Amino acid sequence: MAQDSGTRTLISHAQLRRGRGRAIYWTLLAVVVVGFSLVFLGPLYWMVTGALKSGQEIAQTPPSLFPQDPQFQNYVDAWHNLDLAKLLFNTFYYAAGAVAFQLVLDTAAAYALSKLRPIFGNAILAMMLATLMIPAMVLIVPQYVTVIDLPFLHVNLLDSPFAIWLPLVANAFNIFLLKRFFDSIPEDLMAAALMDGATPLRTLWSVILPMSRPILGVVSIFAVTAVWKDFLWPKLVMPSPETRTVSVGIYAFAGGTPMNVVIAASVIAAIPTVIIFLIFQRNIMSGLTTGSLKG
């Protein structure tokens, strides 16, 4: 019987049915799965268990695999001593603003490049994508100079949430993702909306956006995680203790705080992003793959 071309793999089914081939296949698969699991989950395990250890136990060499006497008080001390409630609120606030700005401005840019097709649109998109090749560290100095003296307005944005929001708006990768998704939307829908008298803005609101919920969810998650994990830029533009993000706040208190309490604070700070990923992981995959197919 001929083998179905839709189920071809690197190893044929005949080889997998043999005793030796099957053993080698499953052995390699187990090694790869276990190896990658250790690489990705090992640091998380060390962080969670390290937050439950005493100061002496976490500093001992070699480190213990399990906490000898779990210290759940470390989490309570981290919450109160590092004022995590304030730091988490600041980070949520900055992340929400980043999501709002990116959804509005990046969506408008992608819609214009995809459906309105302005003059030199391809050249503009190419220049946007070219910025992805520039290392982020190279842009730190010009961005900081811009923030401390905003051109034309001559406003200092230090300790202002706009210092975080505005640099995140011009996100070439998100614009590219949105454009690819909008390209997959049939032109017949655009023509039907035009015949009904809809303006381009009305078409965007009533036709494009309702169909774009998966990719909009992906962009939102990317915006949240970008703010949550960033350290250097918030440290530069948010020098005041009242405006710090959670990553900067934990670093600022790390000098005079026991290591186990700092690790407990890191665990608390990581929980929201892990929850977001677990809830929306299916939306992330569907949003990234749907735009790659022409409808």
Side-chain angles (χ1 to χ4, degrees):
M1 180 180 293
Q3 184 179 351
D4 185 4
S5 61
T7 59
R8 289 178 180 173
T9 61
L10 294 176
I11 304 176
S12 67
H13 290 282
Q15 290 176 320
L16 288 178
R17 284 194 292 267
R18 299 171 185 169
R20 184 178 179 182
R22 179 182 299 177
I24 294 175
Y25 172 79
W26 286 109
T27 301
L28 291 177
L29 180 62
V31 170
V32 170
V33 171
V34 172
F36 275 92
S37 298
L38 291 176
V39 169
F40 289 104
L41 298 180
L44 293 178
Y45 174 80
W46 184 90
M47 183 173 65
V48 174
T49 56
L52 296 174
K53 297 177 181 179
S54 63
Q56 295 79 8
E57 185 179 2
I58 201 172
Q60 74 180 21
T61 303
S64 58
L65 190 59
F66 303 100
Q68 299 176 358
D69 183 20
Q71 305 286 327
F72 292 96
Q73 183 65 28
N74 293 338
Y75 288 97
V76 179
D77 294 340
W79 182 266
H80 293 290
N81 297 347
L82 277 67
D83 196 13
L84 284 181
K86 177 64 175 177
L87 298 176
L88 289 173
F89 174 80
N90 290 343
T91 312
F92 272 118
Y93 177 62
Y94 301 146
V99 169
F101 273 97
Q102 289 198 26
L103 288 182
V104 173
L105 300 179
D106 289 0
T107 299
Y111 175 68
L113 293 172
S114 175
K115 298 302 183 183
L116 303 184
R117 295 185 175 89
I119 301 176
F120 305 119
N122 290 333
I124 295 173
L125 178 63
M127 288 188 288
M128 287 183 180
L129 295 179
T131 61
L132 297 176
M133 307 299 175
I134 303 175
M137 292 299 101
V138 175
L139 301 176
I140 290 294
V141 173
Q143 284 183 349
Y144 185 77
V145 173
T146 303
V147 164
I148 61 177
D149 186 13
L150 195 65
F152 303 108
L153 299 178
H154 299 291
V155 177
N156 190 330
L157 296 180
L158 292 182
D159 283 326
S160 169
F162 287 97
I164 292 179
W165 294 340
L166 295 183
L168 289 175
V169 169
N171 192 308
F173 181 70
N174 287 343
I175 293 176
F176 175 73
L177 284 181
L178 289 165
K179 181 186 180 300
R180 290 296 299 162
F181 190 94
F182 294 162
D183 288 344
S184 68
I185 297 177
E187 292 294 334
D188 294 344
L189 294 176
M190 301 290 297
L194 181 63
M195 291 181 62
D196 289 339
T199 63
L201 183 60
R202 180 67 179 179
T203 303
L204 172 64
W205 181 261
S206 301
V207 178
I208 303 297
L209 292 184
M211 301 177 61
S212 305
R213 291 177 181 173
I215 195 64
L216 294 178
V218 171
V219 172
S220 300
I221 293 171
F222 284 173
V224 171
T225 54
V227 173
W228 208 272
K229 69 180 183 180
D230 199 8
F231 171 76
L232 179 58
W233 184 247
K235 179 173 174 57
L236 292 175
V237 299
M238 298 293 177
S240 173
E242 297 298 320
T243 60
R244 288 171 177 163
T245 61
V246 65
S247 58
V248 177
I250 293 175
Y251 172 80
F253 287 103
T257 307
M259 181 57 65
N260 53 347
V261 177
V262 174
I263 296 175
S266 301
V267 173
I268 297 174
I271 288 175
T273 54
V274 173
I275 293 176
I276 290 175
F277 174 78
L278 293 177
I279 294 176
F280 297 105
Q281 59 177 328
R282 184 173 300 177
N283 300 73
I284 295 175
M285 296 307 300
S286 63
L288 289 176
T289 56
T290 303
S292 62
L293 302 175
K294 284 286 184 179

